[in-house]
Amino acid sequence: MNQQTVIKEYTFEGRGLHTGCYAHLTICPAPENFGIRFLRTDVDVEIPALAQKVSRTDRSTTISEGDVQVVTIEHLLSALTGLGVDNALLKLDNVEVPILDGSAECYVRAIAPDGLLEQSEERKYITIKEEIEVRDENTGSWVKITPADSLSYDVTVDFNSRVLGVQEAHWKENADYVGRVAPCRTFCFFHELEALASRGLVKGGDVDNAIVIVEHPVTKEQIDKMCVLFGQPRLSVTENGYLSNLKLHFPNECGRHKLLDLIGDMRLVGGYLKAHISAYKPGHRINSAAALAVTEKI
């Protein structure tokens, strides 16, 4: 098939999940063989979305050029990959991509109805000759990239959680990304929130852009503290273990979000792989390491 780009410009705005900074993002058409690149318009620095540019993987994926960063790129890269976009220029006027509703749905619901612009050059698929495996012995996480005729993913998520249990999620190229993967929101555990805030993260987080899982019993004082942290007047815990009056899009929404993240992080190989990617307990650090391992083999 031929390469594709977006048919027009699409603009989004909002706060970043971790920095809390307000930003405007514009997804722009780009020529053949351009790939995916971010342009920090506030400092006029361009950063290609490549594994070699990853500088931080603490609860999101950050790429850098010198001391200029683009934070939390994974949801946007996942959306573009799921839609089939080969080339795009992503203009951003602050440090972090807006979190929006914590998923990739806002992007795909804007772009998908218009379709994509088919370009004159053929898509250049990335192939590998043998299986690549990356493991983290400390966490038990692993990612395997196996040569195949097309791109597909299998993910297993296990947080040893009584609320989540073990969740699996799957996707393959040309399957329904818009309806089955894109709506799945980011998540964290209630007991992590104070530690994340102390590290300067989740400054833009709230129950409208993240699923919060309550694994252990909590007190009213703890709930009140989270109300202050999130700037919410009232929060509660549902019977099934989630903060606030939350309705899941899918029983395995958290597992599907880990799949969403992996699709975005693996786009850092620089294009579309012809490979089957399987992962156990994936996260941004091991995802990015896997993408880098692929680039070192091609």
Side-chain angles (χ1 to χ4, degrees):
M1 67 176 295
N2 284 8
Q3 296 177 29
Q4 301 179 113
T5 189
V6 291
I7 206 163
K8 65 178 185 181
E9 294 187 356
Y10 300 87
T11 298
F12 307 86
E13 60 182 285
R15 297 178 72 195
L17 174 62
H18 294 300
T19 65
C21 295
Y22 201 90
H24 297 82
L25 166 75
T26 302
I27 302 172
C28 306
E32 291 90 341
N33 303 315
F34 185 86
I36 307 294
R37 306 182 198 177
F38 286 86
L39 175 62
R40 279 282 304 275
T41 58
D42 54 323
V43 290
D44 195 27
V45 172
E46 189 174 276
I47 310 175
L50 296 172
Q52 295 90 334
K53 297 296 182 179
V54 172
S55 58
R56 184 174 178 177
T57 54
D58 190 5
R59 304 305 290 243
S60 70
T61 301
T62 297
I63 56 173
S64 301
E65 189 68 65
D67 59 357
V68 177
Q69 298 181 327
V70 178
V71 181
T72 313
I73 62 173
E74 59 271 11
H75 300 171
L76 177 53
L77 292 184
S78 184
L80 296 175
T81 302
L83 288 169
V85 176
D86 296 271
N87 306 299
L89 176 64
L90 311 174
K91 296 180 179 179
L92 184 69
D93 66 358
N94 211 326
V95 67
E96 187 172 12
V97 175
I99 191 60
L100 304 175
D101 71 344
S103 75
E105 186 165 33
C106 294
Y107 302 124
V108 300
R109 295 297 180 190
I111 297 169
D114 294 331
L116 299 176
L117 177 65
E118 183 176 345
Q119 299 178 290
S120 59
E121 294 280 339
E122 286 191 8
R123 175 177 289 171
K124 296 179 176 64
Y125 282 95
I126 295 169
T127 60
I128 54 173
K129 295 181 179 179
E130 58 187 22
E131 183 174 89
I132 298 169
E133 182 175 349
V134 178
R135 286 185 172 268
D136 186 329
E137 299 302 335
N138 293 323
T139 64
S141 301
W142 52 259
V143 177
K144 295 178 185 177
I145 306 99
T146 307
D149 293 332
S150 60
L151 179 63
S152 61
Y153 288 84
D154 288 313
V155 169
T156 301
V157 175
D158 184 2
F159 286 91
N160 193 27
S161 165
R162 67 172 183 84
V163 176
L164 294 182
V166 178
Q167 298 189 2
E168 296 182 351
H170 317 277
W171 181 74
K172 60 182 179 181
E173 190 177 4
N174 299 320
D176 181 12
Y177 178 92
V178 173
R180 306 292 292 177
V181 180
C184 299
R185 295 159 290 180
T186 193
F187 66 94
C188 67
F189 290 89
F190 185 92
H191 62 265
E192 299 177 299
L193 291 174
E194 280 195 75
L196 291 172
S198 71
R199 288 172 13 220
L201 301 175
V202 300
K203 293 179 180 177
D206 59 43
V207 291
D208 294 322
N209 58 35
I211 297 170
V212 180
I213 302 152
V214 184
E215 190 68 26
H216 309 291
V218 295
T219 65
K220 181 180 182 301
E221 289 73 20
Q222 289 174 306
I223 292 288
D224 290 343
K225 186 179 287 188
M226 290 306 107
C227 289
V228 173
L229 178 63
F230 282 134
Q232 301 282 325
R234 186 181 297 109
L235 294 171
S236 60
V237 180
T238 63
E239 289 184 1
N240 57 347
Y242 295 93
L243 190 64
S244 192
N245 186 24
L246 178 78
K247 182 178 180 181
L248 293 174
H249 297 316
F250 306 96
N252 65 337
E253 182 170 354
C254 294
R256 294 190 195 206
H257 184 80
K258 283 295 188 179
L259 169 64
L260 184 158
D261 280 346
L262 180 60
I263 293 169
D265 286 334
M266 288 303 300
R267 183 60 188 269
L268 294 168
V269 300
Y272 284 83
L273 275 165
K274 281 195 173 182
H276 175 65
I277 301 168
S278 54
Y280 177 69
K281 296 171 60 175
H284 299 298
R285 182 171 65 174
I286 197 165
N287 298 351
S288 299
L292 183 61
V294 170
T295 66
E296 291 172 346
K297 293 285 188 180
I298 58 177

